[in-house]
Amino acid sequence: MAQAPIGQSEFDHDTAVTLREPGVYDAELSPGWLIGGAINGGYLLTIIGRSLAGTLPHPHPFSLSAHYLTPSAGGPAVIRTQTVRAGRTLSSGQASLYQYAPDGSEIERMRVLASYGDLDALPDDVRTTAKPPVLPDREGCYPVAEGMRPPGASEFLDRLDVRLDPATAGWAQGLPSGQGEMRGWFDLADGRDPDPFSLLLTADALPPTAFDLGMVGWTPTVELTAHVRCRPAPGRLRVVVTTRNAAGGFLEEDSEIWDSADRLVAQSRQLARLPRV
């Protein structure tokens, strides 16, 4: 696994894309972001997000809806992007990420439809009933990377600093609450401050809510929609993820991501397969 150059964060190094030709980008998927035998969906969404930022006339992701078609592996990938519409305040595009079969043919891993804009041009007014999650101090929360590793998550968790509220961490001791909720502090392990692109990773970084329902195992994402609402302030993020309905082998997850200034900076919803238990 290639090391990030001195002074560059591992996340930025591992999510970098290189322009091959207009609308086509090359990337190297790092095996350091593997979880459950496949590359994490939020990491992949960040790579596509960077590619679309290079294609569309606006700089920041506002809304991305991703469908995960086949599991991704570490190694080379190509992202093909297309501008669908370019407006004054919003632009829309689509992108697909491909990897190579042994015979050299391309296998589509995921497909995304997205809207981009300029977060720095948005008005400052906020009218909301949403409130940030109340969490114990970081020191009073459980570090997921130390003794709470779900099967197949070691490489991925080494790149994060996630501290779970003890009220949502009972599953690690075989005592799930049954409420279907995860709450905690989120940082990248190297201390890199959040930005609009790293929020796409954060939206898919906490342990699945299925664990709090007593179902521990790989919970692959089928579809993930992320909304970036504003540029996050420097510092740690607080994340809350909930599910209300696990049925038919699937569950939905709704997440809120709050920054150090108590602003709701991103939201997401995903559909995921339940672990086979």
Side-chain angles (χ1 to χ4, degrees):
M1 186 166 56
Q3 298 296 312
I6 294 174
Q8 183 184 34
S9 80
E10 184 178 39
F11 175 76
D12 290 329
H13 175 266
D14 289 351
T15 58
V17 297
T18 302
L19 180 66
R20 181 197 298 183
E21 59 187 66
V24 182
Y25 298 82
D26 290 304
E28 184 71 22
L29 305 188
S30 170
W33 301 88
L34 279 166
I35 183 166
I39 299 288
N40 171 262
Y43 167 80
L44 295 172
L45 190 58
T46 304
I47 289 175
I48 283 194
R50 292 198 189 282
S51 302
L52 283 165
T55 297
L56 298 173
H58 292 94
H60 302 132
F62 275 28
S63 176
L64 298 94
S65 182
H67 287 261
Y68 296 84
L69 308 177
T70 54
S72 299
V78 59
I79 302 94
R80 303 189 183 280
T81 66
Q82 179 184 356
T83 299
V84 176
R85 180 183 180 275
R88 186 174 62 85
T89 59
L90 284 175
S91 54
S92 299
Q94 61 184 18
S96 290
L97 184 147
Y98 300 86
Q99 289 191 291
Y100 300 100
D103 63 2
S105 62
E106 292 183 348
I107 302 171
E108 189 174 8
R109 299 300 194 195
M110 61 185 294
R111 188 176 297 189
V112 172
L113 185 64
S115 294
Y116 273 55
D118 185 351
L119 290 171
D120 299 323
L122 297 180
D124 293 330
D125 64 302
V126 177
R127 307 176 194 187
T128 182
T129 59
K131 297 184 183 301
V134 177
L135 297 173
D137 291 341
R138 179 175 174 274
E139 291 70 24
C141 291
Y142 292 131
V144 175
E146 299 175 15
M148 298 179 64
R149 296 172 181 260
S154 292
E155 291 284 347
F156 179 66
L157 292 177
D158 285 342
R159 275 133 196 91
L160 310 179
D161 184 0
V162 176
R163 310 289 179 111
L164 287 185
D165 185 336
T168 66
W171 56 268
Q173 287 79 43
L175 298 170
S177 76
Q179 296 301 305
E181 183 171 358
M182 295 284 171
R183 296 188 302 271
W185 299 93
F186 177 91
D187 269 318
L188 289 167
D190 61 11
R192 178 197 186 277
D193 278 323
D195 70 4
F197 292 97
S198 71
L199 293 175
L200 304 178
L201 168 71
T202 308
D204 191 36
L206 263 62
T209 54
F211 292 7
D212 193 42
L213 299 176
M215 294 177 281
V216 177
W218 187 35
T219 312
T221 302
V222 176
E223 186 271 343
L224 170 63
T225 296
H227 296 161
V228 178
R229 307 303 302 273
C230 63
R231 184 188 291 275
R236 297 186 181 96
L237 299 169
R238 285 161 292 169
V239 186
V240 57
V241 188
T242 59
T243 186
R244 298 178 59 195
N245 192 52
F250 295 86
L251 84 166
E252 94 293 338
E253 288 191 335
D254 292 300
S255 75
E256 294 181 354
I257 302 171
W258 295 78
D259 71 0
S260 60
D262 283 345
R263 297 177 306 165
L264 181 59
V265 294
Q267 298 163 277
S268 71
R269 165 166 277 208
Q270 70 170 278
L271 181 71
R273 287 186 180 273
L274 288 167
R276 293 180 173 88
V277 295

